[in-house]
Structures are given as structure tokens and as C-alpha cells.
């Protein structure tokens, strides 16, 4: 089990340690912001922030983010009624 912070909340993933973070985010935590594109860290569609730095979640094993802070697109909102500039751009 890997415990980490996801968009400010403490969570635990029960997937195997070598499972890509992308699959844990989408499967366990219903985070639909990061997408599967190339699967080889080239396109960036799976990008999330880990400790404030952009990482490609398709190639990062979930065990690598133990006790770290992960932020997805959904976690960027300033509040429920105020979107982050990046979210507004997607909209
Ligand atoms: S899916 Fe393309 S970089 Fe991760």
C-alpha cells in the first residue's frame, strides 16, 4: 500500500508498487485529468505535479510517490467556484 497526498487529501492506493501512478490516479481515485496518450513519457497528457514538479505519471511507479504531494488538474482549482487559469484555458 502506498500512502500519499492527492490534491491536499491523504489517500492510500492498494495497487501493486510497480503500477504506474496514472493507473492508480484514474482507477483508484477517479482522477480524469491525467490521460493515457503515448505511455512512454513523450506526449505529456498524463502529467501531474509531484512536490510541485511536473512528472509523467505513465512511467512513474506508484511506490515512488510514497508520502509525497500529488496535484492533478482537478486539484488546481482555487475554490469550487473559481477555476485555476489552466483549467479556464482547457474550458
Ligand atoms: S501518456 Fe504520454 S507522456 Fe505519459
Amino acid at each position: 500500500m502506498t500512502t500519499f497526498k492527492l490534491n491536499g487529501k491523504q489517500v492510500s492506493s492498494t495497487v501493486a508498487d510497480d503500477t504506474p501512478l496514472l493507473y492508480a490516479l484514474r482507477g483508484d481515485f477517479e482522477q480524469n485529468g491525467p490521460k493515457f496518450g503515448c505511455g512512454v513519457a513523450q506526449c505529456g497528457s498524463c502529467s501531474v505535479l509531484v512536490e510541485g514538479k511536473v512528472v509523467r505519471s505513465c512511467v512513474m511507479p506508484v511506490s515512488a510517490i510514497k508520502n509525497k504531494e500529488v496535484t492533478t488538474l482537478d486539484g488546481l482549482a482555487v475554490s469550487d467556484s473559481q477555476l485555476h487559469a489552466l483549467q479556464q484555458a482547457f474550458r
Side-chain angles (χ1 to χ4, degrees), residues 29-90:
F29 306 111
E30 300 178 351
Q31 294 292 306
N32 296 319
K35 310 272 191 243
F36 183 85
C38 65
V40 291
Q42 295 298 306
C43 71
S45 64
C46 65
S47 296
V48 298
L49 298 175
V50 174
E51 300 289 319
K53 296 185 178 177
V54 177
V55 301
R56 306 293 196 232
S57 65
C58 66
V59 294
M60 174 168 280
V62 72
S63 59
I65 51 103
K66 185 176 183 178
N67 297 326
K68 294 186 177 174
E69 172 88 37
V70 177
T71 305
T72 66
L73 183 62
D74 294 336
L76 293 176
V78 177
S79 69
D80 286 343
S81 61
Q82 186 177 1
L83 298 178
H84 184 275
L86 184 60
Q87 292 171 313
Q88 290 176 355
F90 275 110

Side-chain angles (χ1 to χ4, degrees), residues 1-4 11-17 24-25 28-29 62 65:
M1 178 166 29
T2 300
T3 300
F4 58 100
V11 297
S12 296
S13 177
T14 57
V15 299
D17 285 351
L25 292 174
D28 287 354
F29 306 111
V62 72
I65 51 103

